[in-house]
Amino acid sequence: MHDEHLPSASQQPASIDVHSVNYYYPGKVPLLAITNASFSVGPGEFVSIIGPSGCGKSTMLRLIADLLRPTSGQIAIGGQPPERLRRSRQIGFVFQDAALMPWRSSFGNVMLPLQVMRRAGKEGKAKADEMLRLVGLGDFRNKRPAELSGGMRQRVSIARALTYSPKVLLMDEPFGALDQITRDEMNQELLRIWETNRATLVFVTHSISEAVFLSDRVVVMSPRPGTIRQSITIGLSRPRLPAIKHEPGFFEYETQVLRALEGDA
Amino acid sequence: MAQVEESMERPANEPVATPEVAVSEAVPGRSWPSFRLAVSPGSQALRVILPLLAIGIFLLLWNYVPQWMGLHSYEVPTFSQDINALFSEWGTIGPNLEITITDALVGFAVGNLLAVIGAILFSQSRLIEWTFFPLAILMQTIPIIVIGPVFVIFFTVFGWGPYDPLPIIGLGSKPVLGVTILITFFPTLVNMTVGLRAIDPNLYDFMRLINASRWTILWRLRLPSSIPYLFSSFRITSTLCFVGAVVGEWMLANNTGIGGLINLFLLAINKQGLWASVLAVSVSSMAFFGIVLIAERVLVPWREER
Ligand SMILES: Nc1ncnc2c1ncn2[C@@H]1O[C@H](COP(=O)(O)OP(=O)(O)OP(=O)(O)O)[C@@H](O)[C@H]1O
Ligand SMILES: [Mg+2]
């Protein structure tokens, strides 16, 4: 219904290369969170990371986003260090709890990155409104987060991450706190949004069916210290509709991911 | 614009700031859904009627209980006598009340302003915070009765006589202002320091992600996050500043302001006058407290009452 103003991706999506990364959380006894992790994500690819709780999925996203620095190993985004991309504001991030400013309206929250980038003029405002419409919140632009449902807040958070057209979009269990019905709806929406804004997307989840439904590839991590156990290409055709979940191929991929998680792939 | 980079000021892998000072209430302003009970119009009315009823009963008790207990009205004057005195002595009370209100409000404004500036400095440098925050807490524990006279002596020694009008504002007396500034300064300093640090760690990460400068993080994240904490402090300091003003004037003992009047009325054994002047200050400070509450409602609409 909002497709008349499709935003054009002004940035080319970039590839992500993670090469033998180790990460210790500092402390009296440093904690090894990620060990010898290597994987890559092609430009415009949708990759899910799945793994048991505490295996280092969030840590991995933070490393890619340059919110943490690897203890050893290299990460490159489009051949450049993540710091370069973060500084030029080409990384988008969606947090599990939306992380919106409670004192700002939906519109204000989506405007935040543009204000920080000093692009809050007429064009910026139009862009923010366009993004709100893209995520289906055109009518809620003046509502504060407290006046929105959990799913709507996540939509605002996605719109906020998309306003500045990042080359890569990182999502850390964005729908983890939602009920199953809303979650399925949001998955559907996310695919629609991603298909119109082909950013490289890394999506962290606990849910096997979510991972299979959304992704081109599912990267399976081992328990802590996290490492990459397997990378499973999902050969299901796009666009994907909810009905695909009932196809035998879908079950097969789910089983494959489950096996990899259990460690006997 | 100089992009001072906040993320570079600390090791990149340090876990993101979480408020390290325990706060007695839930972090205000979070966008969690609130499960507030539905407030019907009837219970809104109750919220006005019940406190008025409590105050009314208290005043009635004040009026009659001392008499029942056999106390004479010159020992504990009845409330109605105090009200009468308020009118009959208004010629004396009025101008002095004006002085006290000025001392209280100017102290409130200056004390809070200095405290906010101090807290911002703390929030920008751990070193400054580590150095001075414990001192601030220590200062807060010293009773005003002890520190007040120090101010009086300090200001007098520097040749600023007690009655010199404040040169800039042209009102108030310096030693008393010293007390009211001091008494409002510390609660706000402590609250604001906590508030400026009590930011949503994910929002802080988002600001770093979009390469926001230290200044931008202060202006767009820390300051708005801290406003509910500022108002928590206002609730305290809006009445404290009146206490400070009266105590300051009383200690100065130069017969100005309500504090000075209290001395005079005590000497003259005019208890009606004494209570009338206290009543005048109480009503003024309650009115100011009310203004602060209304301002909070208007300015912090995202704060959820829990
Ligand atoms: N700031 C931190 N300081 C120290 N250790 C941490 C910190 N954050 C996470 N860890 C530890 O690092 C490991 C990986 O954490 P991480 O948050 O990346 O896991 P996760 O895979 O995202 O888990 P979940 O699925 O529960 O979100 C955990 O064992 C955790 O205890
Ligand atoms: Mg996590």
Side-chain angles (χ1 to χ4, degrees):
Chain A
M1 61 185 283
H2 311 287
D3 288 8
E4 61 274 19
H5 294 289
L6 288 187
S8 51
S10 53
Q11 307 254 22
Q12 285 302 306
S15 61
I16 302 171
D17 288 289
V18 176
H19 185 67
S20 347
V21 163
N22 287 289
Y23 183 76
Y24 283 93
Y25 277 103
K28 272 201 197 112
V29 183
L31 181 122
L32 180 60
I34 287 185
T35 184
N36 196 24
S38 300
F39 71 100
S40 56
V41 184
E45 198 182 9
F46 195 132
V47 168
S48 288
I49 300 180
I50 196 166
S53 188
C55 74
K57 303 182 294 296
S58 300
T59 308
M60 181 61 81
L61 280 200
R62 280 164 192 272
L63 287 164
I64 296 172
D66 190 44
L67 294 171
L68 299 172
R69 300 266 161 87
T71 312
S72 67
Q74 294 86 42
I75 299 176
I77 305 177
Q80 296 185 327
E83 184 185 355
R84 177 90 60 87
L85 274 97
R86 182 179 63 80
R87 284 180 181 278
S88 54
R89 289 128 173 179
Q90 289 175 342
I91 303 177
F93 206 112
V94 176
F95 298 88
Q96 174 163 7
D97 72 343
L100 301 175
M101 292 183 163
W103 56 89
R104 286 186 176 223
S105 65
S106 307
F107 177 75
N109 270 291
V110 177
M111 280 300 288
L112 174 70
L114 298 175
Q115 286 173 324
V116 170
M117 296 170 196
R118 309 198 169 268
R119 277 168 41 197
K122 220 181 200 168
E123 231 170 272
K125 287 187 179 118
K127 177 86 180 173
D129 269 324
E130 182 183 311
M131 287 303 139
L132 277 173
R133 263 182 273 123
L134 177 72
V135 299
L137 288 183
D139 296 338
F140 292 84
R141 79 189 285 282
N142 298 323
K143 297 273 188 243
R144 275 192 296 271
E147 301 169 285
L148 301 176
S149 71
M152 288 168 154
R153 270 180 242 150
Q154 257 341 325
R155 287 169 198 252
V156 176
S157 185
I158 293 169
R160 179 181 65 181
L162 291 175
T163 31
Y164 54 101
S165 310
K167 286 187 174 175
V168 300
L169 179 56
L170 311 174
M171 303 179 92
D172 192 356
E173 292 189 53
F175 312 136
L178 305 181
D179 60 274
Q180 191 60 50
I181 296 168
T182 316
R183 189 177 194 156
D184 290 346
E185 239 173 65
M186 292 298 294
N187 283 341
Q188 208 43 50
E189 285 280 290
L190 178 62
L191 283 185
R192 180 179 64 79
I193 292 164
W194 175 69
E195 263 144 31
T196 60
N197 284 255
R198 279 271 177 163
T200 306
L201 211 161
V202 183
F203 187 96
V204 164
T205 179
H206 270 131
S207 157
I208 296 175
S209 88
E210 185 175 60
V212 171
F213 179 69
L214 294 172
S215 322
D216 295 321
R217 207 142 49 78
V218 177
V219 169
V220 180
M221 285 181 77
S222 70
R224 193 182 69 80
T227 188
I228 308 302
R229 204 171 245 176
Q230 208 182 326
S231 165
I232 297 162
T233 304
I234 309 295
L236 300 168
S237 62
R238 292 190 189 272
R240 292 185 189 161
L241 300 170
I244 208 169
K245 291 182 183 170
H246 306 297
E247 286 176 17
F250 194 88
F251 286 120
E252 269 163 42
Y253 285 119
E254 279 189 326
T255 315
Q256 216 177 322
V257 174
L258 185 61
R259 287 245 170 80
L261 276 170
E262 287 166 348
D264 55 326
Chain B
M1 199 195 102
Q3 293 282 323
V4 189
E5 242 261 296
E6 178 136 331
S7 71
M8 296 298 101
E9 297 293 320
R10 57 194 186 85
N13 45 15
E14 183 189 321
V16 164
T18 35
E20 64 275 75
V21 185
V23 191
S24 58
E25 57 185 289
V27 179
R30 290 293 295 261
S31 56
W32 295 324
S34 73
F35 300 102
R36 206 191 316 195
L37 290 175
V39 179
S40 67
S43 63
Q44 282 286 13
L46 277 186
R47 292 208 51 186
V48 179
I49 293 167
L50 286 179
L52 286 180
L53 206 66
I55 291 172
I57 290 173
F58 172 75
L59 293 180
L60 279 176
L61 291 177
W62 179 359
N63 221 19
Y64 295 112
V65 168
Q67 276 176 310
W68 291 339
M69 288 170 66
L71 289 170
H72 215 281
S73 71
Y74 60 73
E75 289 167 319
V76 182
T78 65
F79 180 65
S80 43
Q81 284 174 320
D82 296 335
I83 295 285
N84 282 337
L86 185 58
F87 286 106
S88 59
E89 304 277 359
W90 185 251
T92 327
I93 293 174
N96 283 297
L97 181 64
E98 210 172 292
I99 293 173
T100 301
I101 291 176
T102 310
D103 283 337
L105 295 190
V106 173
F108 177 86
V110 176
N112 277 305
L113 187 70
L114 293 178
V116 169
I117 292 169
I120 288 173
L121 287 178
F122 282 5
S123 80
Q124 295 304 294
S125 159
R126 287 274 176 189
L127 220 58
I128 295 179
E129 186 188 341
W130 289 342
T131 312
F132 293 108
F133 196 70
L135 182 66
I137 303 263
L138 181 78
M139 291 289 283
Q140 216 187 343
T141 62
I142 301 175
I144 202 70
I145 312 261
V146 177
I147 210 148
V150 177
F151 265 84
V152 174
I153 292 164
F154 181 82
F155 281 102
T156 315
V157 164
F158 278 85
W160 301 333
Y163 296 116
D164 274 357
L166 192 73
I168 308 159
I169 305 159
L171 287 162
S173 73
K174 278 178 199 148
V176 176
L177 269 184
V179 175
T180 52
I181 290 171
L182 195 76
I183 211 169
T184 49
F185 179 75
F186 289 105
T188 301
L189 181 68
V190 172
N191 257 288
M192 272 300 274
T193 302
V194 173
L196 288 169
R197 295 249 188 235
I199 50 178
D200 178 342
N202 283 334
L203 264 176
Y204 179 74
D205 272 355
F206 186 78
M207 296 302 271
R208 287 209 295 142
L209 184 81
I210 55 177
N211 204 28
S213 66
R214 164 181 287 263
W215 165 250
T216 305
I217 291 177
L218 174 67
W219 179 245
R220 295 212 188 269
L221 179 58
R222 290 192 191 280
L223 279 171
S225 303
S226 71
I227 288 177
Y229 290 83
L230 183 63
F231 271 98
S232 296
S233 175
F234 280 177
R235 286 176 184 219
I236 303 165
T237 52
S238 61
T239 51
L240 262 190
C241 65
F242 280 89
V243 175
V246 173
V247 171
E249 290 156 353
W250 174 75
M251 282 185 308
L252 244 162
N254 57 20
N255 307 339
T256 47
I258 296 296
L261 264 196
I262 288 175
N263 280 332
L264 283 181
F265 283 134
L266 275 175
L267 278 177
I269 322 183
N270 179 349
K271 294 215 171 157
Q272 282 98 319
L274 175 72
W275 281 101
S277 40
V278 169
L279 205 65
V281 184
S282 293
V283 170
S284 314
S285 91
M286 266 182 68
F288 186 46
F289 181 73
I291 291 169
V292 165
L293 287 191
I294 292 167
E296 183 174 13
R297 283 213 161 187
V298 174
L299 296 175
V300 199
W302 69 87
R303 195 195 198 311
E304 299 283 330
E305 296 266 9
R306 267 180 288 266

